[in-house]
Amino acid sequence: MDHFLYQDGELFAEDVSLRDIAAQVGTPFYCYSAATLTRHFNLFDEALAGMEHLVCYAMKANSNQAVLKLLGDMGAGMDVVSGGEYRRARAAGVPGERIVFSGVGKTEEEMRLAISGGIRQFNIESEPEMVLLSSVAVSLGAEVPVTIRVNPDVDAKTHEKISTGKKGDKFGIPISRAVEVYAQAAALPGLKVIGIDVHIGSQMVDLEPFRLAFRKVAELTEVLRGEGHEIARLDLGGGLGIPYERSNADPPLPRDFGQVVREEVGHLGCEIEIEPGRLIAGNAGVLVSKVIYVKSGEDRNFLILDAAMNDLIRPAMYGAYHDIIPLSEPKPGAEPATYDVVGPVCESGDTFTKQRVMAEMGPGELVAFRSAGAYGAVMSSEYNSRPLIPEVLVRGDQFAVIRPRPTFDEMINRDTIPPWL
């Protein structure tokens, strides 16, 4: 469920007309619904009710300060994967004890930043990282909580570019070597082993891979406890998918995911952490764009928009699907049209979809890309010297620009010409 619905024939975000926002902000722009963000966070929190737990929002999905502040004020933790994300989380008011640091390439500088600023735990991804973190912790006179990310070799049945739990993926240590690596970690100064971390992929629409991975984690927990390790916390990652294509069957709900957690690891008495990102933010956002031209080709018609692959790269990168709907609700019985929907960037890859059957559109009309709140703005760029587009947050009948569109001068003047040119 989201809060982008037609009211009297016009598409609204909660109680604000998207057309009114477009008139004030210009197109293209991203718009997020505070009510949807709130609802989706609460669904995960409620799914683990009765178990000691923390929902750590995977902020790589959408790291706007306003989004982080909204979720942080609700009690969310943050899953960060860079020093920049750590700084963003702290700037939004999230305390260090609610921040989990993940990622395969943590640098010494990032480790120092997080230890000095406060951290809930590091999720260690490799033995070299473990050795470096120990050295940094000792140099700062600190003892830092750590989990070790295990790779359970479970196929998440998702896109190959967002699979993270198979043996050929770059993440974690092989679960077959876990006993050996945990022994090494326990022997290193400055580290306090507190649990196990696992994450197998993103946009998952089947609960069975979760079940298989969690079962392996439960077995490993018993083995490690038998080796004398205190395993008090299980970080089970995120990855639950969202319904990008409305005509398809809906993915499992957070409560279904929570039930799998209870069944597979609930008996262990561990604190549970989960790291959802896409399901919290994805359907909480839309990308609004304007039709520039309708172009007739030899065997097809092109709908040319003012949004492009630099604004929303998911279709070009992953072949991802987004529903594209007009801001003016089609009249009952209106004849549809078929378009290749494209942007103005000088790349054939700047194509959002091919041969999409949708409402007939004309120049100047507005469309919305649904389910664009995750991995949209955060993956955008200034390719073709196109300024980053605004982000807007709606709550009830109010809206605010939470990231303005830079001017061309601001974009260009970030470059510096050396004096010898």
Side-chain angles (χ1 to χ4, degrees):
M1 176 186 170
D2 60 48
H3 292 77
F4 299 95
L5 301 169
Y6 288 111
Q7 297 183 28
D8 297 324
E10 285 292 317
L11 190 62
F12 274 61
E14 300 188 25
D15 295 320
V16 179
S17 162
L18 287 169
R19 188 176 300 279
D20 288 347
I21 298 176
Q24 296 185 50
V25 175
T27 58
F29 66 89
Y30 281 101
C31 180
Y32 311 128
S33 159
T36 308
L37 289 164
T38 299
R39 178 179 183 274
H40 289 173
F41 172 79
N42 284 334
L43 286 175
F44 276 109
D45 204 32
E46 292 162 6
L48 298 177
M51 305 177 71
E52 188 179 1
H53 70 276
L54 180 65
V55 179
C56 294
Y57 170 61
M59 56 180 283
K60 60 182 176 287
N62 184 323
S63 59
N64 188 284
Q65 287 287 283
V67 172
L68 303 185
K69 173 70 171 169
L70 179 97
L71 295 172
D73 285 355
M74 295 176 65
M78 295 289 156
D79 171 50
V80 309
V81 295
S82 71
E85 286 193 345
Y86 177 87
R87 291 176 187 274
R88 278 185 172 272
R90 292 307 310 273
V94 181
E97 59 264 26
R98 280 197 266 135
I99 300 176
V100 172
F101 207 132
S102 302
V104 301
K106 305 177 194 73
T107 66
E108 179 177 343
E109 292 75 19
E110 289 173 327
M111 293 173 179
R112 289 186 179 277
L113 171 70
I115 294 172
S116 300
I119 194 71
R120 179 177 174 83
Q121 77 202 37
F122 286 91
N123 291 339
I124 292 176
E125 297 257 9
S126 67
E127 291 152 282
E129 177 193 330
M130 183 169 66
V131 172
L132 178 59
L133 181 61
S134 168
S135 174
V136 173
V138 169
S139 74
L140 293 173
E143 183 179 62
V144 296
V146 301
T147 69
I148 297 175
R149 180 171 179 173
V150 295
N151 186 320
D153 193 23
V154 170
D155 185 355
K157 300 178 183 178
T158 188
H159 193 287
E160 63 177 357
K161 292 185 179 179
I162 49 177
S163 169
T164 63
K166 294 189 293 185
K167 63 182 179 181
D169 296 328
K170 70 179 182 180
F171 299 93
I173 63 160
I175 198 167
S176 60
R177 297 191 55 240
V179 171
E180 172 191 347
V181 176
Y182 268 83
Q184 294 174 21
L188 286 170
L191 304 185
K192 178 176 175 56
V193 177
I194 59 166
I196 303 171
D197 173 40
V198 68
H199 176 61
I200 60 174
S202 185
Q203 188 49 23
M204 294 169 58
V205 295
D206 182 356
L207 290 174
E208 190 60 22
F210 287 118
R211 186 178 296 279
L212 293 174
F214 298 166
R215 190 167 296 167
K216 289 188 175 187
V217 167
E219 293 169 357
L220 178 60
T221 299
E222 301 286 15
V223 170
L224 291 175
R225 284 175 171 173
E227 295 287 325
H229 299 286
E230 180 185 358
I231 305 299
R233 186 178 295 168
L234 301 179
D235 185 331
L236 301 179
L240 201 59
I242 67 173
Y244 283 102
E245 192 167 355
R246 302 299 163 122
S247 59
N248 288 355
D250 287 342
L253 297 172
R255 68 167 177 263
D256 303 322
F257 174 85
Q259 185 60 30
V260 172
V261 172
R262 293 175 195 280
E263 292 171 1
E264 299 301 332
V265 302
H267 63 287
L268 296 170
C270 291
E271 180 183 15
I272 302 299
E273 294 169 341
I274 58 172
E275 296 162 355
R278 187 191 309 266
L279 203 148
I280 289 177
N283 286 338
V286 295
L287 168 64
V288 176
S289 181
K290 182 170 66 177
V291 178
I292 304 174
Y293 302 114
V294 179
K295 175 183 174 180
S296 297
E298 185 170 348
D299 63 348
R300 65 194 60 219
N301 292 324
F302 296 91
L303 201 64
I304 303 175
L305 306 181
D306 63 358
M309 64 185 287
N310 70 295
D311 304 311
L312 179 64
I313 201 170
R314 296 188 67 257
M317 180 175 286
Y318 304 121
Y321 182 101
H322 287 268
D323 272 341
I324 305 171
I325 61 173
L327 261 59
S328 294
E329 187 173 19
K331 302 294 184 186
E335 285 294 322
T338 302
Y339 301 108
D340 282 14
V341 183
V342 303
V345 157
C346 197
E347 296 270 357
S348 294
D350 186 23
T351 299
F352 294 113
T353 186
K354 291 186 176 181
Q355 296 299 279
R356 178 72 63 86
V357 178
M358 56 186 291
E360 186 173 10
M361 305 295 296
E365 295 190 67
L366 302 177
V367 298
F369 290 72
R370 284 191 174 275
S371 308
Y375 305 106
V378 287
M379 297 181 76
S380 59
S381 74
E382 292 177 342
Y383 186 45
N384 280 195
S385 288
R386 292 168 48 84
L388 296 176
I389 66 176
E391 293 174 84
V392 173
L393 181 66
V394 168
R395 185 176 67 180
D397 60 359
Q398 305 175 78
F399 80 89
V401 176
I402 57 176
R403 185 183 73 178
R405 190 191 315 273
T407 67
F408 284 102
D409 284 345
E410 288 170 337
M411 179 177 67
I412 293 167
N413 290 338
R414 288 199 301 270
D415 298 348
T416 300
I417 299 175
W420 40 263
L421 280 181

